[in-house]
Amino acid sequence: RNEILRASKPLGRALWRNWSGSHRRSRVETKTNCVKLLGQRLMSRDFDRQVAEVQIRAAVLNRFTALGIPLTVAMG
């Protein structure tokens, strides 16, 4: 923790997060938590059906993420 604080002081917290990859890790952890909220286990026993189940969960998460991203338009 002390090394992190020493490194983040001269760069600033925002630059340090991008430089160290902390921001990306945080986003991955958030998405992993979303996957867990859809269900802790795979219901299918057959491997091919498990693959399909994971793909469906990913599609649902991608759709939810797309709904939450605002559309920005440059004015003037």
Side-chain angles (χ1 to χ4, degrees):
R1 176 152 167 77
N2 291 336
E3 290 178 26
I4 291 171
L5 292 173
R6 272 188 239 116
S8 67
K9 241 180 197 174
L11 293 175
R13 189 163 171 86
L15 284 175
W16 175 81
R17 280 192 302 197
N18 288 331
W19 172 77
S20 68
S22 174
H23 182 67
R24 190 172 185 180
R25 271 194 308 275
S26 174
R27 292 182 68 181
V28 169
E29 288 174 5
T30 301
K31 283 298 171 189
T32 303
N33 186 38
C34 290
V35 170
K36 288 181 178 180
L37 291 176
L38 288 176
Q40 292 287 336
R41 299 177 180 203
L42 296 175
M43 302 307 259
S44 305
R45 290 187 177 188
D46 183 44
F47 179 73
D48 291 334
R49 290 183 182 177
Q50 286 179 350
V51 170
E53 192 175 335
V54 170
Q55 289 174 342
I56 290 168
R57 288 182 185 191
V60 167
L61 279 176
N62 288 337
R63 181 68 177 145
F64 284 157
T65 301
L67 289 173
I69 296 176
L71 296 175
T72 55
V73 178
M75 300 295 288

